[in-house]
Amino acid sequence: MLLFNPHDDHRNHADARSRQIVEKAIAFFEKKGLKKIKEDDQAMVWYEDFLEFVKEEEIFADLLTPQAYAGENGRWDMWRISHFNEVLAFYGLCYWYTWQVSILGLGPIWMGENEAVKRRAAKLLRDGGIFAFGLSEQEHGADLYSSEMTLVPQANGTFLARGRKYYIGNGNCAALVSTFGKIEGSGEYVFFVVESDHPAYECVRKIDTSGVRQAYVAEYALHDYPIREEDILLRGEAAWNAALNTINIGKYELGCASIGIVTHCLYEAINHAGNRQLYGMTVTDFPHVKQLFVEVYARLHAMKLFAMRAADYLRVASIEDRRYLLFNPIVKMKVTGEGERCVGLLHEVIAARGFEQQTWFEMAIRDIGMLPKLEGTTHVNMALILKFIQKYFFTPVDFPEVPRQDQAGDDGYLFRQQTGKLKEVHFPDWRKAFAAVDLPNVRIFVEQAELLRQLLLDAPPNREQQADSGYMLVAGELFTLIPYAQLILENSAIYQLDDELLDVIFALLVRDFAGYALQMVTEHSNSEVQEALFRQMLKRPVRDEAGFNKVWRQVLELKDCYRMSD
């Protein structure tokens, strides 16, 4: 089974320690139980018990320390990191959040050349420390150009740090906070580390948010915080690049968190609906309920297939192969968006039950919408995705086949990523993945994709359309579906997904493609050629009743296969 089930985890682990970490995490949360997790959530209790568990078991230390600075079991391995993201979010986004923010806070440290801070960070991780990423500011968000955090040079060669950072997770107790700013006078960008318990560090307040109640999202201020040369991680262009490259790594994790949330919601929803009688029928006997469950089941598999395949490309990344720079923002934007959609569909099934305080679903309704909004909005990530269209569609380059990357290993390239020149990132022919599959809805989807490619050749967006962010957002959604579908197909072969489920996935992708094409026709101005091509994209998926029913039986088999302990 591709979906995570704590009672029967099928994920392939490269070594015993990796499996042990997941098993210990499952045991911790199952022992804590749903009732206590919900009580802590509603009371906004700081998750000290979880952090103590992480410290005792040295979990963050093994998962988040590159091999050169780690003990026997430590490495930065995106295969096991991605799975741990899913596991934490499956039990509660607050637990995932402190882990996610630590990943961001460690990024500039591992990317820098300050060996003393790297060794210090490794020891702090081993001692149970968590980390923070001081990038955004209240007035400027993540606009790096406008950062007002300043290092003021002193006559003795040191600096005084002055300024504030806003919306900073773990800002109350991070062992180290990687802080972005500028050097006064030169305007040079800089990353440096500060300690949250230093007298010159003020945790101004906890920022109230409607989600992740237990997390501490802080505003902090540095009041002439003394900074020595040995506290500086990066300067100039290297500091700028580290900010962007850290987010390149961190944004991937949000998609994995969405997968964990939706998976738990699916179990809770099928348990509820499959054991509830209405009007003399089991709720799961209603045709519209079957349709909703099958759609969520298919979309969730698509999310997971894509995200896991994107991890493969992260792991093989190099200066010559930077395809992950397209796939990562799709994980961030598309997978998290699909997660929000899936929770909404499941809520249609369980209705008022989803608002009841004792359900896990109640937390998910609140938290799932956060993930598409963190680490860059849809518009920001779409602007990035659009830079890859030309090379993706029109100048294919051969690459070696990439098998599943589940081996133990340190993904060191991620800490020396090459930045810029996104329009020079190459891809193999996108059609290869589709040519290997002969299913009705895959064929229809390829027709739609070819029509989009034809439009870009014969009638690309004009200058006015390109300046219209609404127009380009929908155009980008159309394009995004193609690499999304490509990686789903690649991974469906690796995991030997059955044809019936794959065809249902592609029926949904055909429908989504037609929906965006219709939006282009009804909401935007197009040339005659553009409109004709968009109208040709309005294709109907093939409905295979036998295939649908087989997938439905797979969904129904999930009933009572997982129920969280009380």
Side-chain angles (χ1 to χ4, degrees):
M1 189 170 93
L2 193 62
L3 302 184
F4 172 61
N5 180 350
H7 295 336
D8 187 16
D9 182 21
H10 285 284
R11 178 83 167 197
N12 188 57
H13 296 279
D15 51 48
R17 174 56 177 160
S18 297
R19 174 165 289 283
Q20 182 189 62
I21 286 171
V22 172
E23 289 175 346
K24 284 180 177 290
I26 290 171
F28 169 82
F29 289 115
E30 293 293 335
K31 182 179 179 181
K32 183 167 185 172
L34 179 59
K35 182 179 179 181
K36 179 60 175 163
I37 284 176
K38 292 306 305 283
E39 287 175 354
D40 286 355
D41 174 72
Q42 289 154 18
M44 294 187 287
V45 173
W46 177 248
Y47 29 77
E48 191 63 46
D49 58 341
F50 172 66
L51 295 179
E52 186 61 32
F53 158 72
V54 166
K55 176 182 178 179
E56 288 178 2
E57 299 296 340
E58 299 187 340
I59 288 178
F60 285 14
D62 280 351
L63 293 179
L64 299 182
T65 310
Q67 209 159 29
Y69 305 94
E72 179 184 358
N73 296 304
R75 62 182 185 271
W76 191 284
D77 176 338
M78 290 302 296
W79 177 261
R80 62 181 192 170
I81 284 173
S82 67
H83 187 42
F84 199 65
N85 271 282
E86 185 180 347
V87 171
L88 290 183
F90 182 92
Y91 287 107
L93 198 63
C94 63
Y95 308 109
W96 168 87
Y97 186 76
T98 193
W99 150 268
Q100 161 72 359
V101 175
S102 291
I103 288 174
L104 294 173
L106 288 163
I109 294 173
W110 302 137
M111 291 177 192
E113 297 181 357
N114 189 324
E115 292 298 316
V117 174
K118 290 181 182 182
R119 290 190 294 272
R120 185 175 161 201
K123 183 180 185 306
L124 289 168
L125 277 166
R126 195 65 59 189
D127 293 340
I130 58 177
F131 293 74
F133 187 53
L135 187 72
S136 63
E137 298 179 2
Q138 185 168 14
E139 297 301 322
H140 310 294
D143 177 5
L144 306 187
Y145 293 107
S146 303
S147 178
E148 294 184 26
M149 176 65 71
T150 305
L151 286 190
V152 181
Q154 303 299 295
N156 63 358
T158 64
F159 301 86
L160 294 177
R162 298 170 183 165
R164 291 175 177 246
K165 293 293 181 179
Y166 188 82
Y167 217 94
I168 309 302
N170 295 345
N172 57 323
C173 65
L176 291 176
V177 184
S178 298
T179 302
F180 181 85
K182 297 176 183 175
I183 297 177
E184 187 178 73
S186 68
E188 183 181 28
Y189 298 114
V190 62
F191 252 119
F192 55 96
V193 291
V194 297
E195 299 171 343
S196 65
D197 59 357
H198 192 282
Y201 180 105
E202 178 192 2
C203 184
V204 178
R205 63 184 173 118
K206 180 179 180 181
I207 298 167
D208 294 328
T209 67
S210 60
V212 200
R213 291 178 182 137
Q214 293 173 254
Y216 199 106
V217 184
E219 176 184 7
Y220 73 83
L222 303 182
H223 302 292
D224 285 346
Y225 190 114
I227 298 295
R228 305 158 300 168
E229 194 65 38
E230 49 263 44
D231 299 316
I232 293 178
L233 302 174
L234 297 147
R235 291 175 181 255
E237 185 179 1
W240 174 275
N241 290 343
L244 301 180
N245 290 338
T246 295
I247 294 170
N248 278 343
I249 298 172
K251 70 172 58 178
Y252 172 83
E253 321 305 334
L254 281 79
C256 301
S258 282
I259 292 165
I261 291 174
V262 176
T263 304
H264 199 146
C265 285
L266 177 58
Y267 290 131
E268 198 168 62
I270 193 67
N271 291 345
H272 173 71
N275 291 291
R276 181 173 172 79
Q277 297 289 316
L278 285 178
Y279 311 114
M281 298 171 61
T282 304
V283 170
T284 48
D285 290 334
F286 289 97
H288 75 286
V289 171
K290 292 181 182 180
Q291 185 68 49
L292 288 167
F293 270 123
V294 167
E295 178 167 347
V296 169
Y297 184 76
R299 288 192 185 277
L300 177 55
H301 274 81
M303 292 161 62
K304 189 157 187 179
L305 286 165
F306 182 85
M308 291 172 73
R309 188 61 175 153
D312 293 339
Y313 286 102
L314 269 168
R315 302 204 72 194
V316 301
S318 65
I319 293 175
E320 294 76 26
D321 185 353
R322 298 196 294 153
R323 287 176 282 176
Y324 75 101
L325 291 173
L326 169 60
F327 303 142
N328 262 26
I330 295 177
V331 173
K332 159 61 185 75
M333 182 193 76
K334 181 69 175 174
V335 174
T336 60
E338 287 288 279
E340 194 171 16
R341 176 188 291 197
C342 286
V343 170
L345 293 172
L346 291 172
H347 201 185
E348 292 293 325
V349 174
I350 67 169
R353 173 69 175 169
F355 294 117
E356 294 181 16
Q357 290 293 310
Q358 70 268 31
T359 65
W360 195 88
F361 207 101
E362 179 266 340
M363 289 194 305
I365 295 169
R366 182 195 68 218
D367 291 343
I368 193 68
M370 288 189 65
L371 295 168
K373 315 300 187 295
L374 299 173
E375 319 306 345
T377 62
T378 296
H379 288 80
V380 169
N381 282 282
M382 187 61 79
L384 178 60
I385 288 166
L386 288 169
K387 295 180 185 294
F388 299 98
I389 288 181
Q390 183 68 29
K391 285 289 191 289
Y392 182 89
F393 263 144
F394 302 115
T395 57
V397 172
D398 286 336
F399 281 96
E401 292 293 328
V402 176
R404 183 171 68 179
Q405 299 296 303
D406 58 353
Q407 71 282 358
D410 217 37
D411 299 331
Y413 174 77
L414 297 179
F415 302 117
R416 55 178 191 277
Q417 298 174 58
Q418 183 187 45
T419 60
K421 299 182 179 179
L422 299 184
K423 293 182 180 180
E424 296 180 13
V425 175
H426 288 279
F427 302 86
D429 193 330
W430 61 276
R431 299 179 183 91
K432 288 176 65 177
F434 295 87
V437 180
D438 186 21
L439 291 172
N441 287 306
V442 174
R443 291 195 296 270
I444 296 170
F445 184 86
V446 171
E447 292 173 9
Q448 292 173 312
E450 290 286 10
L451 286 165
L452 179 61
R453 184 176 183 276
Q454 182 182 343
L455 183 146
L456 293 173
L457 280 172
D458 298 344
N462 60 35
R463 186 171 299 178
E464 184 178 343
Q465 290 168 331
Q466 291 181 45
D468 181 346
S469 60
Y471 186 96
M472 294 307 294
L473 184 61
V474 183
E477 293 282 8
L478 284 166
F479 169 67
T480 296
L481 284 170
I482 299 168
Y484 189 66
Q486 176 199 330
L487 266 62
I488 289 168
L489 283 176
E490 290 180 7
N491 231 6
S492 69
I494 292 172
Y495 287 93
Q496 298 181 324
L497 203 72
D498 61 83
D499 285 350
E500 291 82 3
L501 178 54
L502 189 58
D503 202 46
V504 170
I505 289 172
F506 270 82
L508 295 169
L509 293 177
V510 168
R511 192 182 83 187
D512 292 349
F513 206 105
Y516 290 124
L518 181 62
Q519 197 173 339
M520 286 300 240
V521 171
T522 58
E523 297 181 14
H524 298 282
S525 296
N526 297 284
S527 68
E528 289 185 9
V529 175
Q530 287 173 333
E531 179 152 342
L533 288 166
F534 283 132
R535 287 182 179 276
Q536 289 180 57
M537 296 175 200
L538 304 179
K539 295 183 181 295
R540 178 181 297 175
V542 172
R543 167 84 175 205
D544 174 8
E545 288 298 331
F548 176 90
N549 289 332
K550 180 177 178 181
V551 175
W552 166 241
R553 288 192 294 272
Q554 294 175 20
V555 178
L556 201 54
E557 287 172 0
L558 297 179
K559 183 173 75 75
D560 298 326
C561 79
Y562 173 77
R563 190 183 301 271
M564 190 172 181
S565 60
D566 289 332

